[in-house]
Amino acid sequence: MDNELIVEKSWWGKNWKWFLPTLTLIFSLLFWLILSLSIDGNVTDIAQAYSDNSLYEKAIEKAKTNQRVLEAIGEIEPIDKLAILEGNAIYSNNNNSVELSVRIKGSKGKGKMDISADKNGTEWKYKKISIRIKEPKEEIQILKDTI
């Protein structure tokens, strides 16, 4: 009589071939659903803001000259691409006007930068740039349209 031990495969060993593709599909669908719901279907606006570096880079340069911003947040770091995806962008007027909100991080703290701008040719003309911080709760006006 043979006394060989029969070792059965684990659940993972038996089912990984169908489980991994199914899990990938589920996560892809959830990611797409969350993305489309969280930004009210404005995927194209976020993509446009993502690709228009000058819009937020020039606003950051203006904010870096504000003394109150330097006191509250410190030296502002460049905005990473994930911050743009997490933010909110609404384009209007045939994509020549934008309302953008994006998180920023500085050497002393963090906050949200709100930008309102109109495109004049290839350049953005800023109507409003402000930074909101939580601690202490404050909104710092960098630029405010006086019209």
Side-chain angles (χ1 to χ4, degrees):
M1 184 164 169
D2 262 344
N3 268 347
E4 289 186 31
L5 184 60
I6 299 173
V7 178
E8 281 194 38
K9 288 185 177 180
S10 67
W11 182 90
W12 180 254
K14 291 182 208 175
N15 298 303
W16 73 271
K17 290 179 183 178
W18 65 265
F19 184 75
L20 282 179
T22 304
L23 191 63
T24 303
L25 179 65
I26 289 170
F27 277 123
S28 298
L29 289 173
L30 282 174
F31 177 75
W32 176 80
L33 180 66
I34 290 170
L35 185 65
S36 64
L37 291 177
S38 68
I39 55 179
D40 298 325
N42 290 330
V43 175
T44 57
D45 288 349
I46 293 294
Q48 187 169 349
Y50 185 85
S51 67
D52 195 354
N53 296 348
S54 66
L55 174 62
Y56 46 87
E57 286 175 354
K58 290 182 181 175
I60 292 257
E61 290 304 316
K62 290 181 184 290
K64 286 181 177 182
T65 63
N66 186 291
Q67 188 60 38
R68 180 63 192 126
V69 171
L70 293 174
E71 292 170 3
I73 295 179
E75 185 66 28
I76 300 174
E77 298 174 4
I79 295 177
D80 60 64
K81 296 296 184 178
L82 186 58
I84 300 297
L85 293 176
E86 291 173 351
N88 187 23
I90 301 171
Y91 281 83
S92 59
N93 191 20
N94 204 21
N95 291 337
N96 288 318
S97 296
V98 67
E99 300 286 331
L100 175 69
S101 181
V102 63
R103 72 172 161 83
I104 59 171
K105 186 177 178 186
S107 57
K108 295 180 183 178
K110 57 186 177 178
K112 291 247 183 197
M113 176 180 273
D114 298 318
I115 302 169
S116 178
D118 292 323
K119 199 172 220 178
N120 187 5
T122 58
E123 294 291 317
W124 287 102
K125 181 179 182 279
Y126 297 98
K127 296 188 293 187
K128 177 187 171 193
I129 301 172
S130 63
I131 296 180
R132 294 177 283 139
I133 53 176
K134 286 186 179 179
E135 293 295 325
K137 189 171 182 165
E138 180 180 0
E139 182 174 348
I140 304 168
Q141 294 290 328
I142 311 299
L143 177 70
K144 187 174 181 180
D145 194 4
T146 57
I147 297 176

